[in-house]
């Protein structure tokens, strides 16, 4: 098959601990989002706003960790490619 | 045209197959009995209780200490709501001054269109208030046909079944929760010696209850107290202290009366007696019965806090001769949380609630009935504030209580479960309650724009 006809998706191998941490992060986001939405249904607008603030804060924290990890991974992949070329 | 009316062989077989399947349905094995119709977790237990959260634990004793030897039957005229008694406590002149201050404030506030005290708020309150006493009586309406009238025997069934049908009927009439307590040598002391209107309440060895100008007679066979909670609107009470907030209380008294009348007629229709409150807060000490029946726990408010609705309920009392399965007190960590929280005492504008770390046997005044450990309130300070400042019933203590939060947001049932199971977190949870601005007063003007359900209450607290 011609290599130009398909994409290759690379999933970087992570430890199960890291996957677990991402799962916890996701569940936390669901929890804060539910509380934020339900607070408006309870007519607790100020509490809803606080819950949204926590949601955004954790979302940003996750995004920062993700980007930093990605930079590190890209750097490692780049080094691997250089090594492969050398060999 | 003629072709369309002719059934093809294929269609004929289809129709016959469907008919055969339908005919065979009754022959298929059916679910066993009506008890199996619901396995969704929503079914009632044998005595009619809906499932309660796992952290609401049944207890052999209430979460307050009781010394039955010290408890005497209480005269309902000793509360501050009795005008003669209030005058005895503060003096005639003070009563007159408070009444004129309240009237002056009312007029000034209406003319100034003060939020929560506008003419429409007063009209709404007055509309509920006008209903709370009309048609309320000790013996009931007595209009429903009895089994004797119908020429059939009285209803009979097990005590569990009796409790279930009564609880189901009362919830259908509008009660949020219903509990039963047996009237024995001790619990009879929780029935008032005199009702607020001055009539004596007496237990007599008579077959039928009766009422004269001097007394109300309760037959010895009427051995079961029915205590029920009626929800107030939490969203409405958040504007306390205003007339807007007060009207949900008066509305709950009206609804309590409707439930009482309906239940009295229901039991009459089954062939049994049901004795009700001749006026709001008559007949007996409802919070005490509420605690004994496991509707909730006594709290720093010196009122009952329920696990489902917090303190946003009014409790009512009746007595019946229908034998029912009685209930147990509960421990959901509420009273223990009150020791740490103190939020109600901090915000009480009249400083009428206790700041003490531990409940005490020592009553604050003649309006309290001794014999149990509690955070006794200063009712004179409370009632004076109603008259002098609020111009309404206050209810700030109800509004700020962390248990008043609804359970729509997951964090609230989680917090309640944590309070019950991990008392060490009580202080932290109180701090979080403040951090999320729970208990902050809402603008009463906004109430007129809220999309609230009937009576402003959710019938399912966990939805």
């Amino acid at each position: 098959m011609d290599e130009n006809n398909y994409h290759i998706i690379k999933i970087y191998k992570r430890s199960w601990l890291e996957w677990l941490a991402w799962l916890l992060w996701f569940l936390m986001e669901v929890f804060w989002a539910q509380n934020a939405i339900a607070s408006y249904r309870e007519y607790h607008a100020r509490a809803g706003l606080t819950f949204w603030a926590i949601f955004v804060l954790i979302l940003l924290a996750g995004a920062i960790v993700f980007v930093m990890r990605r930079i590190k991974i890209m750097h490692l992949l780049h080094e691997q490619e250089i090594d492969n070329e050398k060999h | 045209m003629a072709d369309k009316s002719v059934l093809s062989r294929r269609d004929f077989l289809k129709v016959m197959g469907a008919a055969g399947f339908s005919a065979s349905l009754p022959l298929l094995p059916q679910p066993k009995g009506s008890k199996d119709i619901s396995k969704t977790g929503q079914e009632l237990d044998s005595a009619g209780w809906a499932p309660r959260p796992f952290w609401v634990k049944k207890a052999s004793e209430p979460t307050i200490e009781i010394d039955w030897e010290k408890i005497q039957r209480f005269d309902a005229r000793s509360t501050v709501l009795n005008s003669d008694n209030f005058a005895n406590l503060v003096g005639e002149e003070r009563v007159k001054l408070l009444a004129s201050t309240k009237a002056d404030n009312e007029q000034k506030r209406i003319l100034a269109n003060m939020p929560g005290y506008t003419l429409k708020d007063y009209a709404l309150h007055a509309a509920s208030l006008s209903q709370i006493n009309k048609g309320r009586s000790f013996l009931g309406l007595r209009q429903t046909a009895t089994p004797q009238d119908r020429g059939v025997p009285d209803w009979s069934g097990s005590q569990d079944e009796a409790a279930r049908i009564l609880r189901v009927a009362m919830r259908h009439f509008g009660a949020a929760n219903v509990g039963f307590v047996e009237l024995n040598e001790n619990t009879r002391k929780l029935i008032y010696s005199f009702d607020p209107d001055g009539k004596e309440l007496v237990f007599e060895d008579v077959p039928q209850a009766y009422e004269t100008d001097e007394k109300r007679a309760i037959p010895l066979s009427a051995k079961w107290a029915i205590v029920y909670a009626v929800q107030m609107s939490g969203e409405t009470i958040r504007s306390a202290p205003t007339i807007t907030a007060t009207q949900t209380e008066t509305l709950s008294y009206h609804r309590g009366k409707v439930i009482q009348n309906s239940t009295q007629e229901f039991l009459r229709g089954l062939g049994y007696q049901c004795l009700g409150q001749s006026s709001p807060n008559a007949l007996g000490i409802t919070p005490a019965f509420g605690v004994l029946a496991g509707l909730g726990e006594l709290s720093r408010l010196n009122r009952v806090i329920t696990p489902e609705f917090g303190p946003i309920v009014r409790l009512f009392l009746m007595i019946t001769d229908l034998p029912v399965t009685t209930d147990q007190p509960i421990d959901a960590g509420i009273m223990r949380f009150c020791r740490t929280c103190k939020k109600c005492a901090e915000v009480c504008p009249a400083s009428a609630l206790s700041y003490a770390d531990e409940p005490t046997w020592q009553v604050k005044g003649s309006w309290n009935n001794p014999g149990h450990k509690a955070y006794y309130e200063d009712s004179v300070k409370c009632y004076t504030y109603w008259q002098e400042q609020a111009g309404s019933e206050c209810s700030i203590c109800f509004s700020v209580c962390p248990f008043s939060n609804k359970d729509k947001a997951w964090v609230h049932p989680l917090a309640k479960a944590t309070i019950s199971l991990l008392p060490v977190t009580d202080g932290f949870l109180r701090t979080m309650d403040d951090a999320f601005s729970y208990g902050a007063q809402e603008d009463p003007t906004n109430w007129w724009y809220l999309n609230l359900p009937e009576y402003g209450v959710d019938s399912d607290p966990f939805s």
Side-chain angles (χ1 to χ4, degrees):
Chain A
M1 207 190 294
D2 188 351
E3 276 192 13
N4 294 325
N5 287 344
Y6 55 90
H7 296 289
I8 298 171
I9 298 168
K10 291 180 179 175
I11 298 174
Y12 189 77
K13 284 181 185 170
R14 300 163 200 265
S15 67
W16 65 268
L17 210 64
E18 194 176 337
W19 282 116
L20 190 70
W22 280 115
L23 179 70
L24 283 176
W25 172 83
F26 177 74
L27 291 177
M28 267 169 66
E29 285 292 76
V30 170
F31 178 74
W32 295 117
Q34 194 280 339
N35 284 315
I37 294 162
S39 290
Y40 288 96
R41 284 179 58 215
E42 292 179 350
Y43 294 109
H44 277 134
R46 278 166 289 209
L49 204 67
T50 315
F51 282 123
W52 277 131
I54 296 170
F55 174 85
V56 169
L57 216 69
I58 293 173
L59 187 74
L60 283 176
I64 289 166
V65 170
F66 180 81
V67 169
M68 285 173 70
R69 294 282 300 166
R70 188 164 172 79
I71 291 169
K72 195 178 163 188
I73 289 161
M74 295 305 282
H75 183 69
L76 283 171
L77 283 172
H78 185 65
E79 279 183 351
Q80 273 178 10
E81 278 173 17
I82 291 169
D83 282 350
N84 289 343
E85 279 173 16
K86 278 182 185 172
H87 289 110
Chain B
M1 289 293 283
D3 285 348
K4 282 186 180 175
S5 63
V6 176
L7 208 62
S8 72
R9 183 181 170 149
R10 186 179 226 180
D11 288 343
F12 174 75
L13 288 172
K14 273 185 191 171
V15 170
M16 289 309 288
F21 178 71
S22 305
S24 66
L25 276 178
L27 303 174
L28 293 173
Q30 297 296 308
K32 287 177 192 168
S34 58
K35 282 176 191 167
D36 289 342
I37 55 169
S38 170
K39 286 290 176 197
T40 58
Q42 295 297 315
E43 64 267 31
L44 304 174
D45 71 10
S46 58
W49 271 101
R52 296 184 104 176
F54 71 93
W55 42 268
V56 180
K57 292 166 279 182
K58 285 185 180 174
S60 54
E61 296 292 330
T63 50
I64 49 153
E65 286 178 62
I66 300 171
D67 185 348
W68 289 105
E69 295 297 316
K70 285 185 185 165
I71 296 180
Q72 299 295 321
R73 286 182 68 191
F74 188 72
D75 184 341
R77 295 169 298 180
S78 305
T79 70
V80 295
L81 294 174
N82 180 287
S83 52
D84 290 341
N85 188 47
F86 189 60
N88 288 338
L89 290 163
V90 300
E92 286 284 353
E93 285 306 306
R94 181 88 173 119
V95 170
K96 281 179 191 165
L97 185 66
L98 287 171
S100 67
T101 307
K102 189 184 176 192
D104 286 351
N105 283 342
E106 182 175 313
Q107 198 175 46
K108 279 180 197 162
R109 284 164 174 168
I110 291 172
L111 290 171
N113 223 17
M114 188 175 170
Y117 294 92
T118 65
L119 186 59
K120 62 179 183 290
D121 296 306
Y122 274 104
L124 191 71
H125 176 237
S128 303
L129 195 64
S130 67
Q131 303 290 315
I132 64 173
N133 273 324
K134 273 187 185 156
R136 183 195 287 272
S137 69
F138 175 65
L139 297 172
L141 301 173
R142 289 177 290 173
Q143 291 173 353
T144 301
T146 62
Q148 204 177 6
D149 296 333
R150 294 181 200 270
V152 296
D154 291 348
W155 180 87
S156 64
S158 68
Q159 287 192 221
D160 256 10
E161 201 178 352
R164 182 167 51 78
I165 63 163
L166 190 49
R167 193 172 269 124
V168 168
M170 288 183 70
R171 287 194 72 194
H172 189 65
F173 295 144
N177 251 342
V178 184
F180 306 113
V181 177
E182 187 174 357
L183 289 177
N184 55 31
E185 197 184 330
N186 286 334
T187 51
R188 276 207 180 111
K189 294 178 186 174
L190 303 174
I191 299 297
Y192 291 139
S193 55
F194 286 87
D195 255 341
D197 61 3
K199 286 193 185 183
E200 191 177 8
L201 285 161
V202 291
F203 288 96
E204 282 185 10
D205 193 7
V206 288
Q208 289 289 321
Y210 67 91
E211 181 174 356
T212 66
D213 289 342
E214 286 82 34
K215 68 177 178 182
R216 296 190 171 99
I218 304 166
L220 290 174
S221 59
K223 287 202 297 185
W224 290 271
I226 306 167
V227 57
Y228 60 102
V230 176
Q231 273 198 83
M232 295 186 282
S233 167
E235 288 82 358
T236 307
I237 226 162
R238 274 187 224 150
S239 67
T242 56
I243 291 292
T244 322
T246 297
Q247 56 83 20
T248 189
E249 295 174 29
T250 43
L251 184 62
S252 68
Y253 278 119
H254 166 55
R255 293 176 58 220
K257 178 202 70 183
V258 172
I259 296 164
Q260 174 178 304
N261 283 341
S262 307
T263 307
Q264 284 174 311
E265 292 303 284
F266 175 65
L267 283 170
R268 179 182 161 85
L270 296 177
Y272 294 88
Q273 297 181 71
C274 183
L275 313 170
Q277 292 173 305
S278 55
S279 62
N281 302 321
L283 196 60
I285 307 171
T286 46
F289 282 106
V291 168
L292 293 173
L295 295 191
E297 292 180 54
L298 201 68
S299 64
R300 187 174 289 276
L301 308 172
N302 207 17
R303 301 286 181 276
V304 170
I305 292 182
T306 65
E308 291 88 356
F309 313 101
I312 312 292
V313 288
R314 291 277 153 182
L315 297 185
F316 300 88
L317 185 66
M318 291 185 288
I319 297 173
T320 182
D321 57 357
L322 171 69
V324 286
T325 303
T326 53
D327 298 302
Q328 279 178 267
I330 56 160
D331 181 357
I334 294 169
M335 185 53 155
R336 196 176 48 223
F337 183 77
C338 285
R339 284 179 164 86
T340 310
C341 176
K342 299 182 182 176
K343 191 166 180 171
C344 53
E346 285 169 17
V347 301
C348 176
S351 302
L353 295 178
S354 169
Y355 268 105
D357 290 330
E358 291 296 323
T360 174
W361 295 101
Q362 193 62 46
V363 296
K364 268 273 194 295
S366 59
W367 52 87
N368 297 133
N369 197 23
H372 66 285
K373 261 187 161 180
Y375 294 106
Y376 290 105
E377 80 285 16
D378 191 328
S379 292
V380 170
K381 282 185 181 175
C382 177
Y383 192 60
T384 303
Y385 175 78
W386 290 13
Q387 303 283 312
E388 202 166 34
Q389 306 283 327
S392 64
E393 292 173 24
C394 173
S395 307
I396 287 181
C397 50
F398 287 8
S399 162
V400 301
C401 176
F403 289 101
S404 297
N405 292 326
K406 294 262 171 78
D407 286 347
K408 286 186 171 69
W410 290 347
V411 74
H412 297 143
L414 183 68
K416 287 177 187 175
T418 311
I419 284 167
S420 178
L421 305 172
L422 269 178
V424 71
T425 61
D426 285 355
F428 168 75
L429 290 170
R430 158 66 212 275
T431 308
M432 286 296 106
D433 195 77
D434 290 347
F436 281 85
S437 305
Y438 291 122
Q441 190 192 24
E442 297 291 341
D443 182 353
T445 313
N446 291 342
W447 182 83
W448 291 91
Y449 296 90
L450 296 182
N451 178 19
L452 296 176
E454 298 98 306
Y455 303 114
V457 300
D458 276 336
S459 54
D460 184 357
F462 304 111
S463 65

